[in-house]
């Protein structure tokens, strides 16, 4: 059986780190660090019993293929979507490192050790530290994750490729969103609920979900089946600087991300996700997280 990388299936701890990098130097050095991050975290978990550190390392299509590897069938580079004020930029990246745990300090420590030997070899495009906010809420104060698959079995079925050459692997999507909270808080609760498509106190789906609400855009069915994804997003930032949601999700198909993004950014039926009036993505990239065996064979 092909085993997925450790960060993917377990639920996240209270803290996470998301780093997107380009490789500018020795690829083999970089791959060696990507392989050894898992042992580093295993050692830290042995020393620090409550830490529950988990990582996954994923690769952008061009970099993956530059290693002489074939890409899984659906993997593409992220393409820019939308127009005018509502754009999802494509900012790319060769490598994504995602660590989650119960310890912000150890996320920082692990990345510092990871980078120590790579200062000449990678350029960091984005390094974002996420934290659990209130009772699993996004900074809009709405609960985020209600419809995420919950059991380990469901999470693995949604998040990980089950069969074939790429079994144990996963498609990954990352977008960093910056929220405009003053504008958001000018809406009353009823108006906010119409933007999200769920109630604010307890995340119950509205009886009549507006088509342009967030849920109305991303709750997509094909042949009667919902396009599920496994989200690992967390809020990030500081009050006086950028803050919002670091959106990250894993899936056994990239098609689910493509369909949800096209729907959010007005490319399916011209309707745009109303949430995008209050939050703008500033990064966007697709990656492939190989199984442990495939990562170790590079
Ligand atoms: C649901 C927030 C971006 C996909 C939700 C919910 C909230 C939320 C509050 C409802 C509760 C839940 O089921 O988790 C946000 C925020 C975002 C964001 C604040 C960025 C600013 C995205 C993106 C995608 C996405 C980029 C995918 C491309 C989903 C899906 C659901 C969901 C699939 C579950 C829908 C359902 O089945 O009812 N999101 N989201 N979200 N979101 Fe997002």
């Amino acid at each position: 059986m092909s085993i997925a990388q450790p960060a993917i299936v377990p639920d996240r701890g209270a803290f996470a780190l998301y780093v997107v990098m380009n490789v500018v130097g020795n690829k083999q050095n970089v791959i060696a660090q990507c392989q050894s991050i898992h042992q580093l975290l295993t050692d830290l978990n042995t020393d620090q019993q409550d830490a529950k550190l988990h990582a996954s390392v994923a690769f952008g299509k061009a970099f993956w293929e530059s290693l002489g590897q074939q890409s899984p069938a659906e993997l593409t580079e992220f393409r820019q979507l939308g127009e005018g004020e509502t754009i999802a930029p494509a900012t790319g990246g060769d490598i994504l490192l995602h660590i989650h745990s119960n310890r912000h300090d150890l996320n920082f420590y692990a990345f510092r050790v990871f980078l120590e030997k790579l200062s000449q070899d990678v350029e960091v495009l984005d390094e974002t530290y996420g934290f659990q906010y209130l009772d699993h809420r996004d900074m809009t104060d709405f609960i985020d994750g209600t419809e995420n698959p919950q059991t380990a079995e469901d999470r693995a079925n949604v998040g990980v490729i089950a069969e074939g050459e790429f079994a144990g692997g996963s498609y990954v999507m990352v977008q960093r969103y910056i929220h405009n909270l003053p504008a958001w808080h000018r809406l009353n609760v009823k108006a906010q609920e119409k933007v999200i498509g769920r109630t604010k106190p307890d995340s119950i789906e509205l009886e009549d979900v507006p088509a342009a609400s967030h849920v109305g855009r991303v709750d997509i069915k094909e042949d009667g089946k919902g396009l599920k994804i496994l989200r690992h997003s967390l809020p990030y930032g500081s009050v006086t600087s950028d803050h919002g949601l670091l959106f990250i999700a894993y899936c056994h198909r990239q098609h689910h991300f493509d369909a949800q993004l096209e729907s959010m950014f007005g490319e399916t039926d011209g309707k745009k996700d109303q949430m995008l009036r209050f939050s703008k993505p500033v990064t966007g990239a697709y990656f492939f997280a190989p199984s442990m065996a495939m990562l170790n064979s590079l």
Side-chain angles (χ1 to χ4, degrees):
M1 205 187 87
S2 299
I3 296 173
Q5 292 190 60
I8 300 174
V9 176
D11 203 0
R12 52 172 163 69
F15 299 98
L17 165 60
Y18 316 87
V19 191
V20 177
M21 293 164 266
N22 274 341
V23 177
V24 294
N26 186 316
K27 284 184 195 172
Q28 274 320 312
N29 280 350
V30 178
I31 296 301
Q33 287 305 96
C34 291
Q35 291 163 335
S36 61
I37 186 77
H38 294 299
Q39 187 57 51
L40 172 68
L41 298 196
T42 302
D43 295 346
L44 285 168
N45 283 331
T46 309
D47 284 353
Q48 310 279 331
Q49 295 283 323
D50 64 335
K52 293 201 165 64
L53 286 146
H54 297 91
S56 86
V57 184
F59 302 92
K61 182 181 168 75
F63 181 72
W64 181 248
E65 291 178 0
S66 82
L67 302 173
Q69 299 291 322
Q70 250 202 318
S71 287
E74 294 188 5
L75 188 68
T76 63
E77 301 292 349
F78 192 93
R79 74 177 172 90
Q80 180 171 311
L81 292 114
E83 57 177 18
E85 285 288 285
T86 319
I87 295 264
T91 51
D94 292 334
I95 294 186
L96 166 74
L97 172 64
H98 173 205
I99 300 178
H100 60 81
S101 76
N102 292 326
R103 295 271 299 268
H104 176 66
D105 60 329
L106 293 178
N107 294 346
F108 179 95
Y109 174 85
F111 181 50
R112 189 186 63 71
V113 172
F114 173 93
L115 210 55
E116 222 163 33
K117 296 194 186 122
L118 295 181
S119 57
Q120 306 297 312
D121 298 321
V122 297
E123 175 192 28
V124 174
L125 303 180
D126 198 38
E127 176 184 357
T128 297
Y129 292 82
F131 50 89
Q132 188 182 308
Y133 184 66
L134 305 172
D135 48 342
H136 296 273
R137 283 169 198 265
D138 168 67
M139 283 172 181
T140 53
D141 294 344
F142 278 69
I143 294 172
D144 190 17
T146 313
E147 285 298 323
N148 233 7
Q150 303 292 331
T151 66
E153 191 187 355
D154 285 353
R155 293 168 69 85
N157 286 339
V158 169
V160 181
I161 300 169
E163 288 171 349
E165 198 186 337
F166 299 99
S170 189
Y171 294 94
V172 197
M173 173 188 151
V174 177
Q175 277 186 310
R176 183 160 64 82
Y177 281 83
I178 299 180
H179 289 359
N180 179 348
L181 292 181
W184 178 248
H185 288 299
R186 280 197 287 276
L187 297 188
N188 64 31
V189 171
K190 280 273 164 281
Q192 291 180 344
E193 290 179 336
K194 285 197 173 122
V195 170
I196 298 293
R198 287 189 167 259
T199 59
K200 193 169 188 181
D202 40 14
S203 196
I204 294 171
E205 193 168 299
L206 300 186
E207 266 175 34
D208 205 0
V209 175
S213 67
H214 180 53
V215 170
R217 292 287 84 197
V218 294
D219 184 10
I220 298 171
K221 291 200 174 50
E222 280 180 1
D223 304 326
K225 273 188 77 178
L227 300 187
K228 292 282 180 191
I229 59 174
L230 176 57
R231 287 169 287 151
H232 267 274
S233 316
L234 276 178
Y236 75 92
S238 58
V239 173
T240 54
S241 184
D242 291 349
H243 48 250
L245 188 73
L246 192 301
F247 178 90
I248 181 171
Y250 294 87
C251 196
H252 64 290
R253 298 215 35 207
Q254 186 183 297
H255 171 68
H256 298 196
F257 301 142
D258 290 336
Q260 289 170 0
L261 283 169
E262 283 164 15
S263 172
M264 284 177 72
F265 286 85
E267 297 202 352
T268 312
D269 55 6
K271 292 193 177 75
K272 290 178 187 161
D273 191 325
Q274 290 305 294
M275 199 183 61
L276 298 169
R277 289 163 48 211
F278 307 96
S279 189
K280 303 250 172 272
V282 290
T283 69
Y286 280 153
F287 299 92
F288 172 62
S291 67
M292 282 303 286
M294 197 176 266
L295 175 66
N296 287 328
S297 72
L298 295 176

